[in-house]
Coordinates of all heavy atoms in Angstrom, one line a residue:
M1 N 9.9 96.5 -70.4 CA 9.5 97.4 -71.4 C 8.6 98.5 -70.8 O 8.9 99.7 -70.9 CB 8.9 96.7 -72.6 CG 7.4 96.5 -72.3 SD 6.5 95.5 -73.3 CE 5.8 94.5 -72.1
L2 N 7.5 98.1 -70.3 CA 6.5 99.1 -69.7 C 7.1 99.7 -68.4 O 6.9 100.9 -68.2 CB 5.2 98.4 -69.4 CG 4.1 99.3 -68.9 CD1 3.8 100.5 -69.9 CD2 2.8 98.5 -68.7
R3 N 7.9 98.9 -67.7 CA 8.5 99.5 -66.5 C 9.4 100.6 -66.8 O 9.5 101.6 -66.0 CB 9.2 98.3 -65.7 CG 9.8 98.8 -64.4 CD 10.4 97.6 -63.7 NE 11.5 97.1 -64.5 CZ 12.3 96.1 -64.1 NH1 12.1 95.6 -62.9 NH2 13.3 95.7 -64.9
E4 N 10.1 100.6 -67.9 CA 11.1 101.6 -68.2 C 10.4 103.0 -68.5 O 11.0 104.0 -68.5 CB 11.9 101.2 -69.5 CG 13.0 100.2 -69.2 CD 12.4 98.8 -69.1 OE1 11.4 98.5 -69.8 OE2 13.0 97.9 -68.4
T5 N 9.1 103.0 -68.8 CA 8.4 104.2 -69.0 C 8.2 105.0 -67.7 O 7.9 106.2 -67.8 CB 7.0 104.0 -69.7 OG1 6.1 103.4 -68.7 CG2 7.1 103.2 -70.9
K6 N 8.3 104.3 -66.6 CA 8.1 104.9 -65.3 C 6.7 105.5 -65.1 O 6.5 106.3 -64.2 CB 9.2 106.0 -65.0 CG 10.6 105.4 -65.0 CD 11.6 106.4 -64.5 CE 13.0 106.0 -64.7 NZ 13.5 104.8 -64.2
A7 N 5.8 105.0 -65.9 CA 4.4 105.4 -65.8 C 3.6 104.6 -64.7 O 2.6 105.1 -64.2 CB 3.7 105.4 -67.1
I8 N 4.0 103.4 -64.4 CA 3.3 102.6 -63.5 C 3.2 103.2 -62.1 O 4.3 103.5 -61.5 CB 3.9 101.1 -63.5 CG1 3.8 100.5 -64.8 CG2 3.1 100.3 -62.4 CD1 4.5 99.2 -65.0
K9 N 2.0 103.3 -61.6 CA 1.8 103.8 -60.2 C 1.6 102.6 -59.2 O 1.9 102.7 -58.1 CB 0.7 104.8 -60.1 CG 0.9 106.0 -61.0 CD 2.1 106.8 -60.5 CE 2.3 108.0 -61.3 NZ 3.5 108.7 -61.0
A10 N 0.9 101.5 -59.7 CA 0.6 100.4 -58.9 C 0.3 99.2 -59.8 O -0.2 99.3 -60.9 CB -0.5 100.7 -58.0
L11 N 0.5 98.0 -59.2 CA 0.1 96.7 -59.9 C -0.8 95.9 -58.9 O -0.4 95.9 -57.7 CB 1.3 95.9 -60.2 CG 2.2 96.5 -61.3 CD1 3.5 95.6 -61.3 CD2 1.6 96.5 -62.6
A12 N -1.8 95.3 -59.3 CA -2.6 94.4 -58.5 C -2.8 93.1 -59.2 O -3.3 93.0 -60.3 CB -3.9 95.0 -58.2
H13 N -2.3 92.0 -58.6 CA -2.5 90.7 -59.2 C -3.8 90.1 -58.7 O -4.0 90.1 -57.5 CB -1.3 89.8 -58.6 CG -1.3 88.4 -59.3 ND1 -0.8 87.3 -58.6 CD2 -1.7 88.0 -60.5 CE1 -0.9 86.3 -59.4 NE2 -1.4 86.6 -60.5
I14 N -4.7 89.8 -59.6 CA -6.1 89.5 -59.2 C -6.1 88.0 -59.0 O -6.3 87.2 -59.9 CB -7.1 89.9 -60.3 CG1 -6.9 91.4 -60.7 CG2 -8.5 89.6 -59.9 CD1 -7.0 92.3 -59.5
T15 N -6.0 87.6 -57.7 CA -6.0 86.2 -57.3 C -7.1 86.0 -56.3 O -8.1 86.7 -56.4 CB -4.6 85.8 -56.7 OG1 -4.4 86.7 -55.6 CG2 -3.5 86.0 -57.6
G16 N -7.0 85.1 -55.4 CA -8.0 84.9 -54.3 C -8.3 86.2 -53.7 O -7.4 87.0 -53.4
G17 N -9.5 86.6 -53.5 CA -9.9 87.9 -53.1 C -10.4 88.8 -54.2 O -11.0 89.8 -54.0
G18 N -10.0 88.4 -55.4 CA -10.5 89.0 -56.6 C -10.3 90.5 -56.6 O -9.3 91.0 -56.1
F19 N -11.2 91.2 -57.3 CA -11.1 92.6 -57.5 C -11.2 93.4 -56.1 O -10.4 94.3 -55.8 CB -12.2 93.1 -58.4 CG -12.0 92.6 -59.8 CD1 -12.8 91.6 -60.3 CD2 -11.1 93.2 -60.7 CE1 -12.7 91.1 -61.6 CE2 -11.0 92.7 -62.0 CZ -11.8 91.6 -62.4
P20 N -12.3 93.1 -55.3 CA -12.5 93.9 -54.1 C -11.4 93.8 -53.1 O -11.3 94.8 -52.3 CB -13.8 93.5 -53.6 CG -14.1 92.1 -54.2 CD -13.3 92.1 -55.5
D21 N -10.7 92.7 -53.0 CA -9.6 92.6 -52.0 C -8.3 93.1 -52.5 O -7.5 93.6 -51.8 CB -9.5 91.2 -51.5 CG -10.7 90.8 -50.6 OD1 -11.5 91.6 -50.3 OD2 -10.8 89.6 -50.3
N22 N -8.0 92.8 -53.8 CA -6.6 93.1 -54.3 C -6.4 94.5 -54.8 O -5.3 95.1 -54.5 CB -6.3 92.1 -55.4 CG -6.2 90.7 -54.9 OD1 -5.4 90.4 -54.0 ND2 -7.0 89.8 -55.3
I23 N -7.3 95.1 -55.5 CA -7.1 96.4 -56.0 C -7.0 97.5 -54.9 O -6.0 98.3 -54.9 CB -8.1 96.8 -57.1 CG1 -8.0 95.9 -58.3 CG2 -8.0 98.3 -57.5 CD1 -9.1 96.1 -59.3
P24 N -7.8 97.5 -53.9 CA -7.7 98.5 -52.8 C -6.4 98.5 -52.1 O -6.0 99.5 -51.6 CB -8.9 98.2 -51.9 CG -9.9 97.6 -52.8 CD -9.1 96.7 -53.8
R25 N -5.7 97.4 -52.1 CA -4.4 97.3 -51.4 C -3.4 98.2 -52.0 O -2.4 98.6 -51.3 CB -3.9 95.8 -51.4 CG -4.7 94.9 -50.5 CD -4.0 93.5 -50.6 NE -4.9 92.6 -49.9 CZ -5.2 91.4 -50.3 NH1 -4.7 90.9 -51.4 NH2 -6.0 90.6 -49.6
V26 N -3.5 98.5 -53.3 CA -2.5 99.3 -53.9 C -2.9 100.8 -54.1 O -2.2 101.6 -54.6 CB -2.1 98.7 -55.3 CG1 -1.6 97.3 -55.1 CG2 -3.3 98.8 -56.3
L27 N -4.1 101.1 -53.6 CA -4.6 102.5 -53.7 C -4.3 103.4 -52.5 O -4.5 102.9 -51.4 CB -6.1 102.5 -53.9 CG -6.7 101.8 -55.2 CD1 -8.2 101.9 -55.1 CD2 -6.2 102.5 -56.4
P28 N -3.9 104.6 -52.7 CA -3.7 105.5 -51.6 C -5.1 105.9 -51.0 O -6.1 105.7 -51.7 CB -3.1 106.8 -52.2 CG -2.6 106.4 -53.6 CD -3.4 105.2 -54.0
A29 N -5.1 106.3 -49.8 CA -6.4 106.7 -49.1 C -7.1 107.7 -50.0 O -6.5 108.6 -50.6 CB -6.1 107.2 -47.7
G30 N -8.4 107.6 -50.0 CA -9.2 108.6 -50.7 C -9.4 108.4 -52.2 O -10.0 109.2 -52.9
L31 N -9.0 107.2 -52.7 CA -9.2 106.8 -54.1 C -9.9 105.5 -54.2 O -9.8 104.6 -53.3 CB -7.8 106.7 -54.8 CG -7.0 108.0 -54.9 CD1 -5.7 107.7 -55.6 CD2 -7.8 109.1 -55.6
E32 N -10.7 105.3 -55.3 CA -11.3 104.1 -55.6 C -11.2 103.8 -57.1 O -10.8 104.7 -57.8 CB -12.8 104.1 -55.2 CG -13.6 105.1 -56.1 CD -15.1 105.2 -55.6 OE1 -15.4 104.8 -54.4 OE2 -15.9 105.8 -56.3
V33 N -11.5 102.6 -57.5 CA -11.5 102.2 -58.9 C -12.9 101.9 -59.4 O -13.6 101.2 -58.7 CB -10.6 101.0 -59.0 CG1 -10.6 100.4 -60.4 CG2 -9.1 101.3 -58.7
R34 N -13.2 102.4 -60.6 CA -14.4 102.1 -61.2 C -14.1 101.4 -62.5 O -13.4 101.9 -63.4 CB -15.2 103.4 -61.6 CG -15.6 104.1 -60.3 CD -16.3 105.4 -60.6 NE -16.6 106.1 -59.3 CZ -17.9 106.4 -59.0 NH1 -18.9 106.2 -59.8 NH2 -18.1 107.0 -57.8
L35 N -14.6 100.1 -62.6 CA -14.3 99.3 -63.7 C -15.6 99.2 -64.6 O -16.7 99.1 -64.1 CB -13.9 97.9 -63.2 CG -12.7 97.8 -62.3 CD1 -12.5 96.4 -61.9 CD2 -11.5 98.4 -63.0
E36 N -15.3 99.1 -65.9 CA -16.4 98.9 -66.8 C -16.4 97.4 -67.3 O -15.5 97.0 -68.0 CB -16.2 99.8 -68.1 CG -16.3 101.2 -67.8 CD -17.7 101.7 -67.3 OE1 -18.7 101.0 -67.7 OE2 -17.8 102.7 -66.7
R37 N -17.4 96.6 -66.8 CA -17.4 95.2 -67.1 C -17.3 94.9 -68.6 O -16.7 93.9 -69.0 CB -18.7 94.6 -66.4 CG -19.0 93.2 -66.7 CD -17.8 92.2 -66.6 NE -18.0 91.1 -67.5 CZ -17.4 91.0 -68.7 NH1 -16.5 91.8 -69.1 NH2 -17.6 90.0 -69.5
A38 N -18.0 95.7 -69.4 CA -18.0 95.4 -70.9 C -16.7 95.7 -71.5 O -16.5 95.4 -72.7 CB -19.1 96.2 -71.5
A39 N -15.7 96.2 -70.8 CA -14.4 96.6 -71.4 C -13.5 95.4 -71.6 O -12.4 95.6 -72.3 CB -13.7 97.7 -70.6
W40 N -13.7 94.3 -71.0 CA -12.8 93.1 -71.2 C -13.6 91.9 -71.5 O -14.8 91.7 -71.1 CB -11.9 92.9 -70.0 CG -12.6 92.3 -68.7 CD1 -12.7 91.0 -68.5 CD2 -13.2 93.0 -67.6 NE1 -13.3 90.8 -67.3 CE2 -13.6 92.0 -66.7 CE3 -13.3 94.3 -67.3 CZ2 -14.2 92.3 -65.5 CZ3 -13.9 94.7 -66.1 CH2 -14.4 93.7 -65.2
P41 N -13.0 91.0 -72.3 CA -13.7 89.7 -72.7 C -13.7 88.8 -71.4 O -12.8 88.8 -70.6 CB -12.8 89.1 -73.7 CG -11.4 89.7 -73.6 CD -11.7 91.1 -72.9
R42 N -14.9 88.2 -71.3 CA -15.0 87.3 -70.1 C -15.3 85.9 -70.7 O -16.3 85.7 -71.4 CB -16.2 87.8 -69.2 CG -16.4 86.9 -68.0 CD -17.3 87.6 -67.1 NE -18.2 86.7 -66.4 CZ -18.9 87.0 -65.3 NH1 -18.8 88.2 -64.8 NH2 -19.7 86.2 -64.7
D43 N -14.5 85.0 -70.3 CA -14.6 83.6 -70.8 C -16.0 83.1 -70.4 O -16.4 83.3 -69.2 CB -13.5 82.7 -70.2 CG -13.4 81.4 -70.9 OD1 -14.3 80.6 -70.7 OD2 -12.4 81.2 -71.6
P44 N -16.7 82.4 -71.3 CA -18.0 81.8 -71.0 C -18.1 80.9 -69.7 O -19.1 80.8 -69.1 CB -18.4 81.1 -72.2 CG -17.6 81.7 -73.3 CD -16.3 82.1 -72.7
V45 N -16.9 80.4 -69.4 CA -16.9 79.5 -68.2 C -17.3 80.2 -66.9 O -18.0 79.7 -66.0 CB -15.5 78.8 -68.0 CG1 -14.5 79.8 -67.5 CG2 -15.7 77.6 -67.0
F46 N -17.0 81.5 -66.8 CA -17.4 82.3 -65.7 C -18.9 82.5 -65.6 O -19.5 82.4 -64.5 CB -16.7 83.7 -65.6 CG -15.2 83.5 -65.4 CD1 -14.3 83.9 -66.4 CD2 -14.7 83.1 -64.2 CE1 -13.0 83.8 -66.2 CE2 -13.4 82.9 -64.0 CZ -12.5 83.3 -65.0
D47 N -19.6 82.7 -66.8 CA -21.0 82.8 -66.8 C -21.7 81.5 -66.5 O -22.7 81.4 -65.7 CB -21.5 83.3 -68.2 CG -21.0 84.7 -68.5 OD1 -20.9 85.5 -67.6 OD2 -20.7 84.9 -69.7
W48 N -21.1 80.4 -67.0 CA -21.6 79.1 -66.7 C -21.5 78.8 -65.2 O -22.5 78.3 -64.6 CB -20.9 78.0 -67.5 CG -21.2 76.6 -67.1 CD1 -22.3 75.9 -67.6 CD2 -20.6 75.8 -66.1 NE1 -22.3 74.6 -66.9 CE2 -21.3 74.6 -66.0 CE3 -19.5 76.0 -65.3 CZ2 -21.0 73.6 -65.1 CZ3 -19.1 75.0 -64.4 CH2 -19.9 73.8 -64.3
L49 N -20.4 79.1 -64.6 CA -20.1 78.9 -63.2 C -21.1 79.7 -62.3 O -21.7 79.2 -61.4 CB -18.7 79.2 -62.8 CG -18.2 78.9 -61.4 CD1 -18.3 77.5 -61.1 CD2 -16.8 79.4 -61.3
A50 N -21.3 80.9 -62.7 CA -22.2 81.8 -61.9 C -23.7 81.3 -62.0 O -24.4 81.2 -61.0 CB -22.2 83.2 -62.5
Q51 N -24.1 80.9 -63.2 CA -25.4 80.4 -63.4 C -25.6 79.0 -62.7 O -26.6 78.8 -62.0 CB -25.8 80.3 -64.9 CG -27.2 79.8 -65.1 CD -27.6 79.8 -66.6 OE1 -26.7 80.0 -67.4 NE2 -28.8 79.6 -66.9
T52 N -24.7 78.1 -63.0 CA -24.8 76.7 -62.4 C -24.7 76.7 -60.9 O -25.5 76.0 -60.2 CB -23.7 75.8 -63.0 OG1 -23.9 75.8 -64.5 CG2 -23.9 74.4 -62.5
G53 N -23.9 77.5 -60.4 CA -23.7 77.6 -58.9 C -24.5 78.6 -58.2 O -24.4 78.7 -57.0
N54 N -25.4 79.3 -59.0 CA -26.2 80.4 -58.4 C -25.3 81.3 -57.6 O -25.6 81.6 -56.4 CB -27.3 79.8 -57.6 CG -28.4 80.8 -57.3 OD1 -28.6 81.7 -58.0 ND2 -29.0 80.7 -56.1
I55 N -24.2 81.8 -58.2 CA -23.3 82.7 -57.6 C -23.5 84.1 -58.0 O -23.6 84.4 -59.2 CB -21.8 82.3 -57.9 CG1 -21.6 80.8 -57.6 CG2 -20.8 83.2 -57.3 CD1 -20.3 80.2 -58.1
S56 N -23.6 85.0 -57.1 CA -23.9 86.4 -57.4 C -22.7 87.1 -58.1 O -21.6 86.6 -57.9 CB -24.2 87.2 -56.1 OG -23.0 87.3 -55.3
D57 N -22.9 88.2 -58.8 CA -21.8 88.9 -59.4 C -20.8 89.3 -58.4 O -19.6 89.2 -58.6 CB -22.4 90.1 -60.1 CG -23.1 89.8 -61.4 OD1 -22.9 88.7 -61.9 OD2 -23.8 90.7 -62.0
T58 N -21.3 89.8 -57.2 CA -20.4 90.3 -56.2 C -19.4 89.1 -55.8 O -18.2 89.3 -55.6 CB -21.2 90.8 -54.9 OG1 -22.0 91.8 -55.4 CG2 -20.3 91.2 -53.8
E59 N -20.0 88.0 -55.6 CA -19.2 86.8 -55.2 C -18.2 86.4 -56.3 O -17.1 86.0 -56.0 CB -20.0 85.7 -54.7 CG -19.2 84.5 -54.1 CD -18.4 84.9 -52.8 OE1 -18.7 85.9 -52.2 OE2 -17.5 84.1 -52.5
M60 N -18.7 86.4 -57.5 CA -17.9 86.1 -58.7 C -16.6 87.0 -58.7 O -15.5 86.5 -58.9 CB -18.7 86.2 -60.0 CG -19.7 85.1 -60.2 SD -19.0 83.4 -60.3 CE -18.0 83.5 -61.8
Y61 N -16.8 88.3 -58.5 CA -15.7 89.2 -58.6 C -14.8 89.1 -57.4 O -13.7 89.5 -57.4 CB -16.2 90.6 -58.8 CG -16.8 90.9 -60.1 CD1 -18.1 91.3 -60.2 CD2 -16.1 90.6 -61.3 CE1 -18.7 91.5 -61.5 CE2 -16.7 90.7 -62.5 CZ -18.0 91.2 -62.6 OH -18.6 91.4 -63.9
R62 N -15.3 88.6 -56.3 CA -14.5 88.4 -55.1 C -13.7 87.2 -55.1 O -12.5 87.1 -54.7 CB -15.4 88.4 -53.8 CG -14.6 88.5 -52.5 CD -15.4 88.3 -51.3 NE -15.8 86.9 -51.1 CZ -15.0 85.9 -50.8 NH1 -13.7 86.1 -50.6 NH2 -15.4 84.6 -50.7
T63 N -14.3 86.1 -55.7 CA -13.6 84.8 -55.7 C -12.8 84.5 -56.9 O -11.8 83.9 -56.8 CB -14.7 83.7 -55.5 OG1 -15.5 84.0 -54.4 CG2 -14.1 82.3 -55.4
F64 N -13.2 85.0 -58.0 CA -12.5 84.7 -59.3 C -12.0 86.0 -60.0 O -12.5 87.1 -59.7 CB -13.5 84.0 -60.3 CG -14.1 82.7 -59.7 CD1 -15.4 82.8 -59.1 CD2 -13.4 81.6 -59.7 CE1 -15.9 81.6 -58.6 CE2 -13.9 80.4 -59.1 CZ -15.2 80.4 -58.6
N65 N -11.1 85.8 -60.9 CA -10.6 87.0 -61.6 C -11.4 87.4 -62.8 O -11.3 88.5 -63.3 CB -9.1 86.8 -62.0 CG -8.9 85.8 -63.1 OD1 -9.9 85.3 -63.7 ND2 -7.7 85.4 -63.4
C66 N -12.3 86.5 -63.2 CA -13.3 86.8 -64.3 C -12.6 87.3 -65.6 O -13.1 88.1 -66.3 CB -14.4 87.7 -63.9 SG -15.4 87.0 -62.6
G67 N -11.4 86.8 -65.8 CA -10.7 87.1 -67.0 C -9.6 88.1 -66.9 O -8.8 88.4 -67.8
I68 N -9.4 88.7 -65.7 CA -8.4 89.7 -65.5 C -7.3 89.2 -64.5 O -7.7 88.8 -63.4 CB -9.0 91.1 -64.9 CG1 -10.0 91.7 -65.9 CG2 -7.8 92.0 -64.6 CD1 -9.4 92.1 -67.2
G69 N -6.1 89.0 -65.0 CA -5.1 88.5 -64.1 C -4.3 89.5 -63.4 O -3.7 89.3 -62.4
M70 N -4.1 90.7 -64.0 CA -3.3 91.8 -63.5 C -3.9 93.1 -63.8 O -4.4 93.3 -64.9 CB -1.9 91.7 -64.1 CG -1.0 92.8 -63.6 SD -0.3 92.6 -62.0 CE 0.7 91.1 -62.2
V71 N -3.9 94.0 -62.9 CA -4.4 95.4 -63.1 C -3.2 96.3 -63.0 O -2.4 96.2 -62.0 CB -5.5 95.8 -62.1 CG1 -5.8 97.3 -62.2 CG2 -6.7 95.0 -62.3
I72 N -3.0 97.1 -63.9 CA -1.9 98.1 -63.9 C -2.5 99.5 -63.8 O -3.4 99.9 -64.5 CB -1.1 98.1 -65.2 CG1 -0.5 96.7 -65.4 CG2 0.0 99.2 -65.2 CD1 0.2 96.5 -66.8
I73 N -2.1 100.2 -62.7 CA -2.7 101.6 -62.5 C -1.6 102.6 -62.9 O -0.4 102.5 -62.5 CB -3.1 101.8 -61.1 CG1 -4.2 100.8 -60.7 CG2 -3.5 103.2 -60.8 CD1 -4.6 100.8 -59.3
L74 N -2.0 103.4 -63.8 CA -1.0 104.5 -64.4 C -1.8 105.7 -64.7 O -3.0 105.7 -64.8 CB -0.2 103.9 -65.5 CG -0.9 103.1 -66.6 CD1 -1.7 103.9 -67.5 CD2 0.1 102.3 -67.4
P75 N -1.1 106.8 -64.9 CA -1.9 108.1 -65.3 C -2.6 107.9 -66.6 O -2.2 107.2 -67.5 CB -0.8 109.1 -65.5 CG 0.4 108.6 -64.7 CD 0.3 107.1 -64.8
A76 N -3.8 108.5 -66.7 CA -4.6 108.4 -67.9 C -3.9 108.8 -69.2 O -4.0 108.1 -70.2 CB -5.9 109.2 -67.8
A77 N -3.0 109.7 -69.0 CA -2.3 110.2 -70.2 C -1.3 109.2 -70.7 O -0.8 109.3 -71.9 CB -1.5 111.5 -69.8
A78 N -0.9 108.2 -69.9 CA 0.0 107.2 -70.3 C -0.7 105.9 -70.8 O 0.0 105.0 -71.3 CB 0.9 106.8 -69.1
A79 N -2.0 105.8 -70.7 CA -2.7 104.6 -71.0 C -2.5 104.1 -72.5 O -2.3 102.9 -72.7 CB -4.2 104.8 -70.7
A80 N -2.7 105.0 -73.4 CA -2.6 104.6 -74.8 C -1.2 104.0 -75.2 O -1.1 103.0 -75.8 CB -2.9 105.8 -75.8
A81 N -0.2 104.7 -74.7 CA 1.2 104.2 -74.9 C 1.5 102.9 -74.2 O 2.1 102.0 -74.8 CB 2.2 105.3 -74.5
A82 N 0.9 102.7 -73.0 CA 1.1 101.5 -72.3 C 0.4 100.3 -73.0 O 1.0 99.2 -73.2 CB 0.6 101.6 -70.9
L83 N -0.8 100.6 -73.5 CA -1.5 99.6 -74.2 C -0.8 99.2 -75.5 O -0.7 98.0 -75.8 CB -2.9 100.0 -74.6 CG -3.9 100.0 -73.4 CD1 -5.2 100.8 -73.8 CD2 -4.3 98.6 -73.0
E84 N -0.2 100.1 -76.2 CA 0.5 99.8 -77.4 C 1.7 99.0 -77.1 O 2.0 98.0 -77.8 CB 0.9 101.1 -78.1 CG 1.7 100.9 -79.4 CD 0.9 100.2 -80.5 OE1 -0.3 100.3 -80.5 OE2 1.6 99.5 -81.3
L85 N 2.5 99.3 -76.1 CA 3.6 98.5 -75.7 C 3.2 97.1 -75.3 O 3.9 96.1 -75.7 CB 4.4 99.1 -74.5 CG 5.3 100.3 -74.8 CD1 5.7 101.0 -73.4 CD2 6.5 99.9 -75.6
L86 N 2.2 96.9 -74.5 CA 1.7 95.6 -74.1 C 1.2 94.8 -75.3 O 1.5 93.6 -75.5 CB 0.6 95.7 -73.1 CG 1.1 96.2 -71.7 CD1 0.0 96.7 -70.9 CD2 1.9 95.1 -71.1
H87 N 0.5 95.4 -76.3 CA 0.0 94.7 -77.5 C 1.2 94.3 -78.3 O 1.2 93.2 -78.9 CB -0.9 95.6 -78.3 CG -2.3 95.8 -77.6 ND1 -3.1 96.9 -77.8 CD2 -2.9 95.0 -76.6 CE1 -4.1 96.8 -77.0 NE2 -4.1 95.6 -76.3
Q88 N 2.2 95.2 -78.5 CA 3.4 94.8 -79.2 C 4.1 93.6 -78.6 O 4.8 92.8 -79.3 CB 4.4 96.0 -79.3 CG 3.9 97.1 -80.2 CD 4.8 98.3 -80.2 OE1 5.9 98.3 -79.5 NE2 4.4 99.3 -80.9
A89 N 4.0 93.5 -77.3 CA 4.6 92.3 -76.6 C 3.7 91.1 -76.6 O 4.1 90.1 -76.1 CB 5.0 92.7 -75.2
G90 N 2.6 91.2 -77.3 CA 1.7 90.0 -77.4 C 0.7 89.9 -76.3 O 0.1 88.8 -76.1
E91 N 0.6 90.9 -75.4 CA -0.3 90.8 -74.3 C -1.7 91.2 -74.7 O -1.9 92.2 -75.5 CB 0.2 91.6 -73.1 CG 1.5 91.2 -72.6 CD 1.5 89.8 -71.9 OE1 0.4 89.4 -71.5 OE2 2.6 89.2 -71.9
G92 N -2.7 90.6 -74.1 CA -4.1 91.0 -74.4 C -4.6 92.0 -73.4 O -5.3 91.7 -72.5
A93 N -4.1 93.2 -73.5 CA -4.4 94.3 -72.5 C -5.6 95.1 -73.0 O -5.7 95.4 -74.2 CB -3.2 95.1 -72.3
Q94 N -6.4 95.6 -72.0 CA -7.5 96.5 -72.3 C -7.6 97.5 -71.2 O -7.2 97.3 -70.1 CB -8.8 95.7 -72.3 CG -9.0 94.6 -73.2 CD -8.5 93.3 -72.6 OE1 -8.5 93.1 -71.4 NE2 -8.2 92.4 -73.5
L95 N -8.1 98.7 -71.6 CA -8.4 99.8 -70.6 C -9.7 99.4 -70.0 O -10.7 99.3 -70.7 CB -8.5 101.1 -71.3 CG -8.8 102.3 -70.4 CD1 -7.7 102.5 -69.4 CD2 -9.0 103.5 -71.3
I96 N -9.8 99.1 -68.7 CA -11.0 98.6 -68.1 C -11.6 99.5 -67.1 O -12.7 99.2 -66.6 CB -10.8 97.2 -67.5 CG1 -9.8 97.2 -66.3 CG2 -10.3 96.2 -68.6 CD1 -9.7 95.9 -65.5
G97 N -11.0 100.6 -66.8 CA -11.6 101.5 -65.8 C -10.7 102.7 -65.5 O -9.8 103.0 -66.2
E98 N -11.1 103.3 -64.4 CA -10.3 104.5 -64.0 C -10.3 104.6 -62.5 O -11.1 104.1 -61.7 CB -10.9 105.7 -64.6 CG -12.4 106.0 -64.2 CD -13.0 107.1 -64.9 OE1 -12.4 107.8 -65.8 OE2 -14.2 107.4 -64.7
V99 N -9.3 105.4 -62.0 CA -9.2 105.7 -60.6 C -9.8 107.0 -60.3 O -9.6 108.0 -61.1 CB -7.7 105.7 -60.1 CG1 -7.6 106.1 -58.7 CG2 -7.0 104.4 -60.4
Q100 N -10.6 107.1 -59.3 CA -11.3 108.4 -58.9 C -11.3 108.6 -57.4 O -10.9 107.6 -56.7 CB -12.8 108.3 -59.4 CG -13.0 108.2 -60.8 CD -14.5 108.2 -61.2 OE1 -15.3 108.0 -60.4 NE2 -14.7 108.5 -62.5
R101 N -11.6 109.8 -57.0 CA -11.7 110.0 -55.6 C -12.9 109.1 -55.0 O -13.9 109.0 -55.7 CB -12.0 111.5 -55.3 CG -10.9 112.4 -55.6 CD -11.0 113.8 -55.0 NE -10.0 114.6 -55.5 CZ -8.8 114.7 -55.1 NH1 -8.4 113.8 -54.2 NH2 -7.9 115.5 -55.6
G102 N -12.7 108.6 -53.9 CA -13.7 107.7 -53.3 C -13.3 107.1 -52.0 O -12.2 107.4 -51.5
D103 N -14.0 106.0 -51.6 CA -13.8 105.4 -50.3 C -12.8 104.2 -50.3 O -12.7 103.5 -49.4 CB -15.1 105.0 -49.7 CG -15.8 103.9 -50.5 OD1 -15.2 103.4 -51.5 OD2 -16.9 103.5 -50.2
G104 N -12.1 104.0 -51.4 CA -11.1 103.0 -51.5 C -11.6 101.6 -52.0 O -10.9 100.7 -52.0
G105 N -12.8 101.6 -52.5 CA -13.4 100.4 -53.0 C -13.2 100.2 -54.5 O -12.5 100.9 -55.1
V106 N -13.9 99.2 -54.9 CA -14.0 98.8 -56.4 C -15.4 98.8 -56.8 O -16.2 98.0 -56.2 CB -13.3 97.5 -56.7 CG1 -13.4 97.1 -58.1 CG2 -11.8 97.5 -56.2
I107 N -15.8 99.6 -57.8 CA -17.1 99.6 -58.3 C -17.0 99.0 -59.7 O -16.2 99.5 -60.5 CB -17.6 101.1 -58.4 CG1 -17.7 101.6 -57.0 CG2 -19.0 101.1 -59.1 CD1 -17.9 103.1 -56.9
I108 N -17.9 98.0 -60.0 CA -17.9 97.4 -61.3 C -19.2 97.7 -61.9 O -20.3 97.3 -61.4 CB -17.6 95.9 -61.2 CG1 -16.3 95.6 -60.5 CG2 -17.7 95.2 -62.6 CD1 -16.0 94.1 -60.2
R109 N -19.2 98.5 -63.0 CA -20.4 98.8 -63.7 C -20.7 97.8 -64.8 O -19.8 97.5 -65.6 CB -20.3 100.2 -64.3 CG -20.2 101.3 -63.2 CD -20.1 102.7 -63.8 NE -18.7 103.1 -64.0 CZ -18.4 104.3 -64.1 NH1 -19.2 105.3 -64.1 NH2 -17.1 104.6 -64.2
A110 N -21.9 97.4 -64.9 CA -22.3 96.4 -65.9 C -22.2 96.9 -67.3 O -22.2 98.0 -67.6 CB -23.7 95.9 -65.6

């Protein structure tokens, strides 16, 4: 369904390596991703794990997906239509950030 729109520029499966290892792999040189942490629900187990294990936010985002299993990168103009298609298909999709010029990293704003 979403693939047929031809809007998808990249996909990143958030597995081992989390956000900082997986998202940059799909970005062209000179781009980075800025994510808004408040934009997606985070299961309380991640907060418990961070607190109980004394794990920093940086390590949490590197080791765990913290509630995000897949990142779809597409033009901003296609975001609303993509979200609608995903919601119609029963997916819990959210707009969580944007691609900007930068050093190829991932910046997560609290």
